[in-house]
Amino acid sequence: CLFLETKRDVHEASLVQREDVAAFVADLSNREFAPSTIERRLSVAKGYHRFLVREGFAEADPTQTIPLPRKPHTLPDVLSVAQVSELLDGLPSSNPVEMRNACLRVSELVGLDMDRVYFEEGYLRVLGKGSKERIVPFSGMAVKRMREYLEEARPELAGAVQHPVPAVFLNARGGRLTRQSVHRITAKAGMAIGVENLHPHTLRHSFATHLLEGGADLRAIQEMLGHSDISTTQIYTHIQAAQLKEEYFAAHPRA
C-alpha cells in the first residue's frame, strides 16, 4: 500500500499495526472519499489480513477491531400521487410503440413472457433478482392497457421478425425490450411533466410509498416488491414520516 510505505514507513504487510490501518482510514476520510468507497477499501484490507493470518504469514490481524464506516441513510426519490397521475395520463397511445409504453407502468416487466400474464386471475408472475418468482397483482386501467397492447400493438411489433420471441414487451424491431430502453422511455416521460432524470426505480419507490399512504400492509408491499427482508421495505415508513414532517413545518412555520 503506497500510503503505508510513504506515510507510515511500513514496507511489509506482516508489520502493519492497528494504528497504521486507522491512519489509512482517517486519510481517506480527510480526502473526502465517500463512505461507500472507504468501506470497500477497508473491506479489502480486512480480507487480505485475514488471509495472511490464516496462511501463517502474519501473527495477528491489525484490522480486526477497526469497524467498517456506516453508510449515510438516504431516502429514495418519490413522486407525488398527482405527478404519477399526470405522468400516466399524459402517455400517448396512437401507435404500437406508444401503446407498449403505456403498459410499462404495470411493473418491472422487461423479462416478462407471454405465459406469465393471467388476465382472469388478475396477476403477473414476475422473475426478480436471483430468479426469484413473485406474484404481482394488476387490475383496472393496467389490465385495459395491457389488453389493448397485446391485441392491437404487439402483433404489429412481432411481425418485424421471422422468429418471434416470447417476451410481452417488444422493441420496434420485434426483439425483447431492454432495461436501457425502459430507462430512456421513463426519462422521456418524466421530461414531459417537468421531472428530470426520472428513473424506473423512482416509480417503484413511488408505488410503494403511495400504497403505504393508502393503508396497505407492509408485508403485502414487501411481497409485491420482492424484498427478501422486511427491513428493506421499512424504508418507506421513513419516507412517509419525512413527508409528514415537511408538511407540518410548512403549515406551522413557527412550530
Side-chain angles (χ1 to χ4, degrees):
C1 176
L2 185 61
F3 171 82
L4 294 177
E5 292 180 350
T6 59
K7 302 291 186 181
R8 305 290 295 182
D9 195 28
V10 177
H11 301 277
E12 291 185 26
S14 61
L15 300 178
V16 175
Q17 301 296 312
R18 184 186 189 282
E19 294 75 17
D20 300 318
V21 180
F24 172 63
V25 173
D27 179 68
L28 293 176
S29 180
N30 292 336
R31 290 160 61 192
E32 298 185 348
F33 279 83
S36 57
T37 301
I38 298 175
E39 181 188 36
R40 281 197 304 273
R41 295 193 178 187
L42 182 54
S43 293
V44 171
K46 281 176 172 287
Y48 177 59
H49 283 282
R50 281 197 301 270
F51 165 79
L52 292 178
V53 173
R54 186 172 65 247
E55 298 298 319
F57 295 110
E59 293 182 1
D61 179 0
T63 69
Q64 190 171 17
T65 59
I66 305 261
L68 291 173
R70 288 188 177 184
K71 295 180 184 178
H73 186 72
T74 56
L75 299 178
D77 294 331
V78 174
L79 298 182
S80 67
V81 175
Q83 285 177 307
V84 173
S85 295
E86 183 181 1
L87 176 73
L88 299 181
D89 291 341
L91 290 174
S93 56
S94 59
N95 60 56
V97 170
E98 290 175 350
M99 292 176 73
R100 176 204 64 198
N101 294 350
C103 292
L104 291 178
R105 60 191 176 196
V106 177
S107 183
E108 298 171 341
L109 301 180
V110 171
L112 187 67
D113 287 340
M114 294 292 292
D115 62 354
R116 294 179 174 273
V117 180
Y118 296 82
F119 281 109
E120 298 303 322
E121 294 84 354
Y123 68 84
L124 311 170
R125 284 167 47 222
V126 178
L127 285 178
K129 289 182 180 179
S131 296
K132 288 184 178 179
E133 185 178 83
R134 70 181 190 274
I135 302 300
V136 178
F138 81 126
S139 59
M141 185 56 70
V143 172
K144 179 178 182 296
R145 290 289 194 180
M146 181 75 90
R147 284 192 183 278
E148 289 175 351
Y149 164 73
L150 292 179
E151 293 173 3
E152 302 174 31
R154 190 182 181 283
E156 187 171 335
L157 294 174
V161 293
Q162 252 187 333
H163 305 288
V165 297
V168 170
F169 295 109
L170 308 177
N171 58 34
R173 298 177 300 280
R176 185 183 294 274
L177 197 66
T178 65
R179 292 179 60 183
Q180 291 78 6
S181 295
V182 174
H183 290 173
R184 288 193 295 270
I185 293 166
T186 306
K188 184 177 180 180
M191 292 296 292
I193 63 168
V195 177
E196 293 188 9
N197 301 318
L198 181 61
H199 194 278
H201 280 157
T202 305
L203 297 180
R204 176 180 166 90
H205 298 321
S206 302
F207 166 76
T209 303
H210 299 162
L211 280 178
L212 187 63
E213 290 174 348
D217 179 72
L218 200 62
R219 286 288 182 185
I221 298 174
Q222 176 192 4
E223 289 293 326
M224 282 187 275
L225 295 182
H227 291 161
S228 58
D229 193 330
I230 190 68
S231 63
T232 307
T233 317
Q234 284 175 332
I235 190 173
Y236 297 107
T237 63
H238 299 306
I239 295 173
Q240 191 178 34
Q243 289 174 337
L244 287 172
K245 190 174 182 180
E246 287 180 8
E247 292 173 8
Y248 173 77
F249 282 109
H252 305 282
R254 300 179 67 180

